[in-house]
């Protein structure tokens, strides 16, 4: 690990193009002053530089580290995603992988085990390397419903509003950063009823904890927004979002995370995607997964029902564009780590590309994936590259405003004021 930024040694990144994450236009030929773990100043072109270590970054672009508001670190190992893989060591390994790909913070949404709370505390104090961990702890689902049993026995499955309230009260004592409810499921499968999710939301809010919901259907989204949900953690995929829902989401400040990658991953390997042989993708995969994806059996399975799956992605793209254009708060999340194909690191960059495919401009996409995520997590000391904020940013060889895939061209990563890659 390089440690160019020490407490008493300012570091100046000279002659950068800065995309600060706020949504403001990029600034050319500015210099970034890092002091300890903080951005001390942004110096205009032509400024006299203060004393310190000067790094000439001419031709390169700086932007904030990405913030993933929907991940599941800790479960992946090889070709499996299972609670059996959940250890402190595996969590640390996967948090480091997130950071290697320019993801500075990740919210683990509901598939965690008891060790997560001490890991979270260490991570948020900067005592362990990798992306900073936020957690929803133990999520809520229906008995016999999603998520699958392989995700562990800590998923809470209350059968009454009273039980849900008591379970939520016990969870609140552990101080999770968020709460997760899996509301929908496969057709005919047990579901969390409105009475139960209303009880969970009400009790969580009594403890000032935000609540996220796993959704698919428009009708569920309507009921959840009416009940006070803070985050719809997947796309609405059965129908186009209507004006009444959009108005309610704006009035209540409900966030929307589209997780577009999971819809594309559902069919894209039926024919080989353009990035299949890209080292940036291959390096993100667990051992054995690339061979699985290349296999005839897997590709044949992916090809099944392809037209329906593609229509699902089309609806997801349409809805995120519609909600974002109307002023609904959108953040970035991917569900990475919940399945071996949902690769940690690469998925977050693919999500940006899919948002571009939805029609969202790159400058705004970067704001969604940085500033908006920080606001969602109440982590307002990060998410933008500005004086007084944490020095969490990446240096790119190419300009993502010209091609959003330029986020792959990572030259260096800075976390807490230190160059770590």
């Amino acid at each position: 690990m390089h440690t160019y930024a020490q407490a008493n040694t300012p570091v100046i990144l000279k002659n950068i193009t800065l995309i600060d994450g706020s949504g403001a236009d990029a600034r050319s030929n500015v210099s970034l002053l890092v002091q300890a773990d903080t951005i001390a100043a942004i110096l205009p072109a032509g400024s006299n530089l203060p004393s310190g270590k000067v790094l000439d970054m001419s031709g390169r672009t700086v932007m904030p580290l990405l913030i993933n508001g929907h991940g599941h670190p800790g479960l992946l190992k090889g070709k499996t995603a299972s609670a059996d893989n959940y250890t402190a060591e595996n969590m640390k390994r996967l948090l480091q992988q997130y950071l290697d790909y320019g993801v500075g913070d990740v919210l683990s949404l509901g598939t965690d085990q008891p060790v997560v709370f001490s890991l979270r505390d260490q991570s948020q104090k900067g005592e362990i390397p990798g992306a900073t961990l936020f957690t929803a702890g133990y999520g809520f689902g229906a008995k016999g419903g999603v998520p699958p049993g392989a995700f562990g026995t800590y998923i809470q499955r209350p059968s009454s509003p009273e039980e849900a309230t008591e379970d939520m009260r016990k969870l609140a004592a552990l101080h999770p950063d968020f709460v997760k409810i899996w509301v929908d499921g496969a057709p005919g499968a047990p579901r969390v009823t409105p009475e139960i999710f209303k009880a969970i939301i009400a009790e969580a809010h009594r403890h000032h904890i935000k609540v996220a919901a796993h959704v698919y259907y428009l009708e569920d989204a309507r009921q959840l927004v009416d009940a006070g949900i803070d985050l719809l953690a997947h796309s609405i995929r059965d129908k186009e979002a209507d004006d009444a829902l959009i108005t309610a989401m704006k009035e209540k400040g409900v966030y929307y995370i589209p997780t577009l990658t999971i819809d594309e991953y559902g069919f894209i390997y039926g024919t080989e995607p353009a990035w299949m042989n890209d080292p940036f993708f291959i390096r993100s995969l667990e051992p054995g997964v690339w061979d699985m994806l290349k296999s005839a059996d897997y590709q044949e399975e992916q090809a099944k029902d392809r037209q329906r799956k593609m229509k699902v992605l089309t609806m997801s793209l349409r809805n995120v564009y519609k909600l974002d254009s109307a002023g609904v708060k959108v953040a970035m999340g991917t569900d990475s780590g919940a399945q071996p194909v949902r690769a940690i690191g690469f998925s977050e960059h693919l999500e940006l590309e899919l948002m571009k495919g939805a029609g969202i401009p790159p400058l705004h996409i970067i704001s969604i994936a940085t500033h908006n995520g920080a606001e969602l997590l109440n982590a307002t000391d990060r998410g933008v590259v500005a004086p007084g904020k944490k020095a969490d940013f990446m240096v790119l060889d190419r300009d993502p405003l010209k091609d959003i895939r330029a986020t792959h061209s990572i030259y260096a990563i800075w976390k807490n004021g230190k160059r770590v890659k």
Side-chain angles (χ1 to χ4, degrees), residues 196 313 351 365:
I196 289 177
L313 176 59
E351 188 76 14
I365 291 169

Side-chain angles (χ1 to χ4, degrees), residues 340-375:
V341 67
R342 299 177 190 173
I344 282 175
F346 176 79
S347 294
E348 286 65 41
H349 293 265
L350 180 59
E351 188 76 14
L352 308 186
E353 188 176 340
L354 289 169
M355 287 187 192
K356 175 66 168 58
I360 302 173
L363 185 67
H364 185 49
I365 291 169
I366 291 170
S367 184
I368 285 171
T370 58
H371 170 262
N372 287 12
E375 284 199 337

Side-chain angles (χ1 to χ4, degrees), residues 11 50 56 86 103 127 134-135 145 159 182 244 257 293 323 331 353 367:
V11 176
D56 190 348
Y86 198 104
V103 181
E127 295 173 355
F134 295 77
T135 181
S159 55
W182 281 269
I257 289 181
L293 298 177
L323 269 65
E353 188 176 340
S367 184

Side-chain angles (χ1 to χ4, degrees), residues 52-239:
K53 183 175 182 65
V54 178
L55 305 175
D56 190 348
M57 295 290 174
S58 298
R60 295 192 168 100
T61 298
V62 166
M63 62 171 279
L65 294 179
L66 302 175
I67 296 177
N68 181 4
H70 186 165
H72 293 279
L75 301 174
L76 283 186
K77 196 170 187 180
K79 294 189 288 184
T80 64
S82 167
D84 294 339
N85 300 327
Y86 198 104
T87 63
E89 292 71 27
N90 201 36
M91 175 67 85
K92 290 176 185 178
R93 176 181 72 90
L94 296 170
L95 290 175
Q96 184 60 54
Q97 181 164 325
Y98 273 119
L99 186 57
D100 287 345
Y101 276 79
V103 181
D105 304 87
V106 59
L107 171 61
S108 184
L109 263 185
T111 52
D112 288 314
Q113 298 187 27
V115 70
V116 76
F117 295 103
S118 61
L119 283 172
R120 183 271 312 271
D121 293 344
Q122 294 174 67
S123 177
Q124 293 189 8
K125 292 173 184 175
E127 295 173 355
I128 58 176
T132 301
L133 177 63
F134 295 77
T135 181
Y138 318 137
F140 289 85
K143 289 181 178 178
V146 294
F151 283 4
T153 58
Y154 290 95
I155 308 296
Q156 304 178 97
R157 304 181 190 271
S159 55
S160 69
E162 294 75 21
E163 187 180 347
T165 298
E166 181 59 26
D167 288 345
M168 183 60 241
R169 189 175 296 127
K170 291 176 181 176
L171 178 61
L174 299 173
H175 305 292
D177 303 290
F178 237 92
V179 173
K180 167 72 172 293
I181 310 172
W182 281 269
V183 171
D184 66 292
R191 295 162 52 88
V192 174
T193 64
E195 293 74 22
I196 289 177
F197 68 64
K198 286 176 183 177
I200 295 167
I201 293 168
E203 185 62 24
H205 286 175
R206 274 191 278 273
H207 297 275
H208 309 289
I209 305 171
K210 293 179 180 179
V211 187
H214 177 113
V215 293
Y216 186 102
Y217 301 105
L218 176 62
E219 183 54 37
D220 288 335
R222 285 195 188 106
Q223 293 187 47
L224 284 158
V225 170
D226 287 345
I229 202 74
D230 301 286
L231 167 64
L232 298 178
H234 284 291
S235 286
I236 297 165
R237 286 162 278 180
D238 65 325
K239 296 176 183 177

Side-chain angles (χ1 to χ4, degrees), residues 245-319:
L245 176 67
I246 290 170
T247 298
M249 291 179 72
K250 288 171 64 178
E251 287 177 350
K252 297 187 175 190
V254 180
Y255 278 79
Y256 186 77
I257 289 181
T259 60
L260 303 168
T261 51
I262 69 168
D263 296 323
E264 177 156 279
Y265 286 149
F267 67 85
I268 196 65
Y269 298 105
T271 59
E272 196 165 285
W275 36 262
M276 185 70 178
N277 297 303
D278 185 343
F280 189 79
F281 167 64
I282 295 170
R283 283 196 304 268
S284 72
L285 298 171
E286 291 287 298
V289 175
W290 192 74
D291 290 334
M292 179 190 79
L293 298 177
K294 295 278 284 187
S295 70
D297 287 347
Y298 191 86
Q299 293 182 6
E300 183 179 343
E301 183 65 30
Q302 284 263 301
K304 292 179 180 176
D305 206 14
R306 181 179 174 86
Q307 293 302 313
R308 183 194 64 80
K309 295 173 184 175
M310 291 175 70
K311 287 180 180 178
V312 168
L313 176 59
T314 298
M315 183 60 71
S316 295
L317 294 168
R318 184 181 305 162
N319 275 330

